[in-house]
Every structure is written in C-alpha cells, then in structure tokens.
Amino acid sequence: MKYFWLEKSLLPQEMGYELFSVEHIISLLILIVINIVLYSAFCRLDGKKQDIFLKICALTLPIVEAFKIIVLIIEGVFDAQYFPLYLCSIGIFIFPVAMFAKHKMISEYAAETGLLMVIPGSLMALLFPNWIGFYQPFSFLSIYSYLWHGLIILIPICMWKKGMAVIKAESIIHSFVVLAILLPIVLICDQFFYQNYWFLERPDLNNPFLFIYEQYGYTLYITCIMLLAFVMCSLSFCVFSVLQKKRIGKTK
C-alpha cells in the first residue's frame, strides 16, 4: 500500500510488468469476469431499470475521472497529459450525450460511435496498455485504467442490447462524423499543450506501430493509424451486424 496512490513520476523506480505477462493476462481475465457479471445483471433488468443502469454508468465516467484528477492534483503531478482528450476518453462526453440527449439522432450517433470506435480503441488499449511498464497491478492508476477501459466497453454493448443503436452501413459514416467533429479540437490541444492525444504525434509505450515510427517515420506511422481505425471500425461493424441478425432471427 506504500505506493498505491502514487503517480509514476513519484515512484522510486519503474515498478511495472511486461506486456502479456502473467500479471497482464490475469488483470484482463478479472476484467472480463467483471464485465460478464455486470452485463448479465443488466440483461435481467426491465427497460426502465436498464435506462437507469446506463445513466449511472455514463455519469460514473466523469465522476471517476474527476476523482483521478483530484488525486493527481493533491500529489502535485497533474498536468496536460492527464486531460481527458484521448480516444478512449471521448466516452466521458459521448455516453452521457447518448443517454440524456433529447434528439434521437444525436443519441444514435453517440451510441454507434461507442460501438464502432470506442470499443476497438479500448480493446487495443487493454491489449497494449501504456501504463503497465510503470505501475504494479494493485495500484490506483493501474486499477483505474483497467476498470475505465472495461466500463467504456460495457456501456456501448449494453446500449446496443437495449436497442439504442441499430448497426447499419451508415453507422460507420456516423462514427467518423463524430470523430471528425472532435478531431480539430484534439489537434489544437495537441499543439497548444505539446501533448500526444489520440497518439497523433507519435506512438506511445507498447504501441504496436512503434517499430514503424522508428524505422520509417511519421508519415507511414500516421497512415497506419488511420488504416487501423478504419479496419477496427469495420471489424466491429461486422461483429455487431452478425449478432444483430442473430438477435432479429430469434425474435421472429
């Protein structure tokens, strides 16, 4: 518990573990079990209680993020790198919009973006996490990072289960429209704060494209990032399209 709350710059040395190590795999398995339990509980609720469940989850994101920021401020290490402007962090903004927006189209766009963009991005973050090289598994920022990414995977899946988003060909376009709206803000913040939001400037620790960046430069790296976004979005689209057809088939 001595180092439980400390941010990486305050630790005496890098206390993390390696990619796909026992600690990493066990952490992922625990997260999968938690999400399965929560999803099963969600499925047993009626429509109104499902709506309350999702609203609580959507509001939990900014609350937990605010708590993390308070911890970092108290430690005196909070700076621009911890602003919620990373790709996974857009869940803070789009999921409350999806749950509380009065306009159905806005709610659908937000839910579709969660399914086709946030879920793939979160899965990549969990498979190639940039925090494991610094923290022990049982530390605040490690636990926070796993649970955060698990929650932003759970929320859009539950939204889809509830019927808030119907996956169709246009859903991919809708998701990229949302990203296109947010992209200029992220680019400006990247330049203004000298940060690397959405990894648009360079790859981070454990990024699978780090080798490409180091060997072939930025142009090929950013091209791979854009291609990966499209591929992951398309794969997510295919998965939920198949599940959707099966669900429709069962109701006939």
Side-chain angles (χ1 to χ4, degrees), residues 15-220:
M15 306 177 68
Y17 46 98
E18 295 182 357
L19 192 66
F20 302 123
S21 61
V22 173
E23 295 92 338
H24 184 197
I25 299 300
I26 291 176
S27 298
L28 292 178
L29 291 175
I30 292 173
L31 185 60
I32 290 171
V33 171
I34 291 173
N35 269 16
I36 289 175
V37 171
L38 290 174
Y39 179 74
S40 299
F42 173 82
C43 292
R44 289 195 292 268
L45 299 174
D46 60 35
K48 290 184 178 180
K49 290 182 178 179
Q50 285 184 344
D51 193 59
I52 294 172
F53 177 96
L54 284 170
K55 285 181 178 179
I56 291 174
C57 287
L59 292 176
T60 296
L61 292 173
I63 291 172
V64 171
E65 182 70 11
F67 178 75
K68 182 195 77 172
I69 290 173
I70 290 171
V71 169
L72 295 172
I73 290 174
I74 292 173
E75 293 180 353
V77 295
F78 178 74
D79 57 27
Q81 68 174 305
Y82 290 110
F83 288 164
L85 292 172
Y86 294 93
L87 183 59
C88 296
S89 300
I90 67 174
I92 292 177
F93 311 105
I94 67 171
F95 293 147
V97 167
M99 291 311 305
F100 293 97
K102 299 298 183 182
H103 199 293
K104 185 179 179 181
M105 185 188 75
I106 295 175
S107 180
E108 286 179 351
Y109 273 44
E112 289 170 343
T113 303
L115 287 169
L116 301 186
M117 289 294 184
V118 176
I119 287 180
S122 298
L123 289 174
M124 290 295 293
L126 288 168
L127 289 175
F128 303 97
N130 60 4
W131 63 85
I132 64 174
F134 302 101
Y135 301 104
Q136 295 176 333
F138 188 70
S139 65
F140 169 67
L141 286 171
S142 179
I143 295 171
Y144 160 84
S145 297
Y146 280 112
L147 292 180
W148 168 270
H149 289 92
L151 186 57
I152 59 176
I153 289 173
L154 175 68
I155 291 174
I157 291 176
C158 290
M159 287 180 175
W160 173 80
K161 177 66 176 178
K162 185 175 169 59
M164 292 180 60
V166 178
I167 297 300
K168 49 192 179 296
E170 293 86 349
S171 298
I172 296 178
I173 298 175
H174 297 166
S175 298
F176 276 98
V177 166
V178 174
L179 291 190
I181 293 171
L182 297 173
L183 182 61
I185 300 172
V186 174
L187 288 172
I188 291 171
C189 290
D190 263 347
Q191 297 301 314
F192 186 80
F193 295 113
Y194 302 101
Q195 293 299 315
N196 189 31
Y197 307 122
W198 291 20
F199 307 114
L200 295 176
E201 299 294 322
R202 61 193 176 278
D204 209 340
L205 180 68
N206 292 328
N207 190 304
F209 294 131
L210 179 59
F211 172 79
I212 292 176
Y213 178 80
E214 292 177 340
Q215 295 295 320
Y216 303 103
Y218 178 80
T219 301
L220 185 58

Side-chain angles (χ1 to χ4, degrees), residues 220-234:
L220 185 58
Y221 163 71
I222 200 65
T223 301
C224 290
I225 288 292
M226 291 187 290
L227 287 174
L228 179 64
F230 180 76
V231 170
M232 295 297 288
C233 178
S234 299

